[in-house]
């Protein structure tokens, strides 16, 4: 097992990204040590740097999405062996951040990946898929019966579903899959039509994924509502999902019939959100007692969902320079310059690590 590795770290709250060397951790009970072949970027990482939220311990190693090979197996772990190809859901704590060459992973949120799936594709899955799943299926979210359980499959046949931000990574898992018209979580639940908002440049892509209709995300609210009503033939919309999230809850909630539910990716829901959608339910992806259980259940079912193709990865773009390329990728995300694609870095392509942490 290697003892030293290259890592990307955030020096301090609102600090800079630096590449350095650090010790490799040893997996404890229930954990795996993963050689990270690919790690994906998420908006949370630039938000942590810019807004100083979520993380209090610095220097911090971020990154929560990775795929790679099992390097070592901790006590009590069953079902994994050294050399297995896996994807993992990381955490924003030093040992479990994925912006490093070797990360610790909880075995409960690690799964073996199919032979025909690349590490880059697999790394696009964990956080965005989990977020879509928690928003739609956790009791603290919309609380639908999960589409990966028999009780949830096809349960909402013929009911319309409107997704704001079909091209976000979360939206793509909420809506559809890249290589054939198999819709992912929403499709598995049977929703139809599935109406997504996006830039017109992503319309063909989203339709190829399985969205039934794509509306320009720049449409004024009255035009959007008229278009949705035309598509649904007046069938009430009981569920919408804002994956962006839009600055105003009122906008996405307006498509809902009275009593309808707006699922969002907001990490907290307060009275201002509720006041903006009177007579409707607004939910987010929040800390809840049920959240871990829902996530573990999803990860139990994930190997089968990946093998069957019911859940497929995002399109990916590989950043040059290994860990050193991540800062520029996050800056592009912050500026809204990444459209319909997941940015991925290869930590082992990192050439230079001048600092020791
Ligand atoms: N609460 C949680 O636990 C949690 C977890 C994960 C993510 N999140 C949040 O969820 C959001 C989505 O994350 P992500 O990784 O999926 O994002 P992402 O892939 O980086 O999102 C980029 C996409 O956003 C779309 N977009 C931007 N403004 C839009 C608008 N007004 N209407 C429709 N689409 C718009 C763009 O679509 P076009 O290219 O089509 O314009 C672009 O492709 C972020 O705010 C993230 O912080 C929350």
């Amino acid at each position: 097992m290697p003892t030293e590795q290259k890592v990307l770290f955030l020096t301090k709250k609102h600090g800079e990204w630096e590449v350095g060397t650090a010790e490799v951790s040893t997996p404890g009970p229930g954990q795996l040590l993963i050689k990270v072949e690919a790690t994906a970027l998420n908006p949370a990482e630039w938000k942590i740097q810019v807004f100083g939220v979520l993380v209090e311990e610095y220097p911090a190693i971020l990154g929560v999405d990775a795929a790679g090979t099992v390097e070592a197996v901790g006590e009590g772990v069953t079902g994994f062996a050294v050399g297995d190809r896996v994807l993992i859901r990381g955490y924003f704590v030093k040992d479990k951040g994925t912006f490093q060459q070797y990360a610790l992973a909880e075995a409960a949120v690690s799964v073996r990946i199919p032979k025909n799936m690349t590490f880059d594709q697999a790394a696009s899955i964990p956080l965005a898929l989990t977020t879509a799943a928690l928003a739609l299926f956790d009791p603290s979210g919309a609380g639908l019966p999960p589409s990966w359980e028999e009780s949830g499959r096809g349960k909402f046949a013929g009911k319309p579903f409107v997704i704001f931000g079909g091209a976000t990574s979360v939206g793509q898992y909420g809506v559809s899959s890249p290589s054939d018209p198999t819709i992912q979580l929403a499709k598995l639940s049977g929703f139809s039509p599935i109406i997504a908002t996006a830039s017109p440049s992503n319309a063909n892509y989203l339709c190829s994924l399985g969205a039934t209709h794509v509306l320009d995300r720049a449409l004024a609210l009255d035009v959007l509502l008229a278009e949705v009503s035309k598509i649904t033939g007046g069938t009430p919309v009981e569920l919408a999902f804002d994956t962006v999230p839009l600055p105003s809850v009122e906008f996405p909630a307006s498509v809902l019939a009275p009593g309808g539910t707006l699922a969002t990716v907001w990490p907290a829901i307060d009275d201002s959100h509720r006041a903006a959608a009177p007579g409707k339910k607004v939910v987010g992806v929040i800390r809840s007692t049920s959240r871990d259980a829902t996530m573990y259940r999803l990860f139990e079912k994930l190997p089968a969902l990946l093998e069957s193709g019911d859940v497929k990865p995002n399109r990916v773009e590989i950043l040059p320079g290994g860990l050193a390329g991540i800062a520029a990728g996050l800056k592009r995300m912050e500026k809204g310059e990444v459209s319909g694609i997941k940015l991925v870095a290869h930590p082992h392509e990192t050439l230079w690590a001048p600092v020791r942490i």
Side-chain angles (χ1 to χ4, degrees):
M1 213 175 79
T3 54
E4 289 269 300
Q5 61 163 337
K6 296 185 180 72
V7 304
L8 179 72
F9 64 98
L10 197 50
T11 50
K12 58 183 183 188
K13 205 173 259 219
H14 305 294
E16 298 302 317
W17 298 102
E18 288 194 29
V19 179
T21 55
E23 278 179 15
V24 173
S25 300
T26 304
Q31 294 182 332
L32 303 170
L33 178 70
I34 306 298
K35 180 181 181 189
V36 180
E37 300 288 358
T39 180
L41 282 58
N42 286 288
E45 285 118 19
W46 70 256
K47 292 179 185 177
I48 288 169
Q49 184 199 24
V50 172
F51 302 124
V53 292
L54 286 176
V55 172
E56 295 304 328
E57 271 187 39
Y58 289 88
I61 297 175
L62 305 187
V64 288
D65 276 336
T69 48
V70 175
E71 188 77 18
V73 178
E75 194 189 316
V77 174
T78 55
F80 292 97
V82 171
D84 280 351
R85 300 170 76 247
V86 293
L87 65 76
I88 62 166
R89 162 79 158 83
Y91 290 91
F92 292 132
V93 292
K94 207 169 173 183
D95 293 342
K96 297 179 188 166
T98 60
F99 291 168
Q100 55 188 327
Q101 293 180 321
Y102 295 89
L104 293 184
E106 297 302 324
V109 284
S110 306
V111 301
R112 276 207 291 273
I113 57 177
K115 287 192 185 65
N116 61 355
M117 184 174 285
T118 66
F119 289 127
D120 298 330
Q121 292 173 320
S124 80
I125 294 172
L127 181 70
L129 176 68
T130 306
T131 304
L134 290 173
L136 296 174
F137 305 122
D138 190 69
S140 66
L144 309 181
S147 56
W148 56 83
E149 311 281 0
E150 271 312 306
S151 57
R153 283 248 167 168
K155 169 120 181 144
F156 300 95
K159 287 190 183 280
F161 177 63
V162 180
I163 183 158
F164 292 84
T168 65
S169 182
V170 173
Q172 289 177 55
Y173 287 112
V175 174
S176 53
S177 74
S179 63
D180 66 27
T182 310
I183 306 278
Q184 297 196 28
L185 301 178
K187 174 74 173 204
L188 291 174
S189 292
F191 286 103
S192 177
I194 296 177
I195 305 164
T197 69
S199 290
S201 56
N202 280 323
N204 287 343
Y205 170 59
L206 292 180
C207 283
S208 79
L209 304 186
T212 57
H213 302 79
V214 178
L215 299 177
D216 187 342
R217 70 172 170 98
L219 288 181
L221 183 58
D222 55 341
V223 184
L224 180 99
L225 294 179
E227 288 294 323
V228 169
S229 175
K230 221 189 295 172
I231 294 164
T232 60
T235 305
V237 178
E238 294 169 17
L239 179 70
F241 185 15
D242 177 10
T243 71
V244 180
L246 295 163
S248 139
V249 165
E250 195 178 351
F251 189 98
S254 300
V255 299
L256 291 169
T261 299
L262 176 67
T264 74
V265 289
W266 288 109
I269 297 294
D270 58 28
D271 288 345
S272 70
H273 295 106
R274 290 183 204 101
K280 294 160 188 173
K281 190 174 165 193
V282 184
V283 296
V285 180
I286 59 173
R287 287 189 196 286
S288 73
T289 47
S290 54
R291 185 183 156 129
D292 281 354
T294 301
M295 191 163 69
Y296 295 150
R297 197 83 186 107
L298 168 64
F299 271 77
E300 268 173 34
K301 300 284 180 178
L302 195 48
L305 292 169
L306 297 178
E307 284 290 347
S308 66
D310 281 337
V311 167
K312 290 200 170 86
N314 291 163
R315 298 182 299 186
V316 296
E317 176 190 325
I318 311 306
L319 297 167
L323 295 168
I326 288 177
L330 291 173
K331 190 50 83 180
R332 282 170 56 198
M333 293 173 79
E334 181 185 346
K335 290 180 173 169
E337 293 172 354
V338 179
S339 177
I341 204 152
K342 195 83 175 161
L343 300 183
V344 168
H346 295 165
H348 290 271
E349 290 175 3
T350 314
L351 292 178
W352 198 50
V355 188
R356 178 161 184 93
I357 64 164

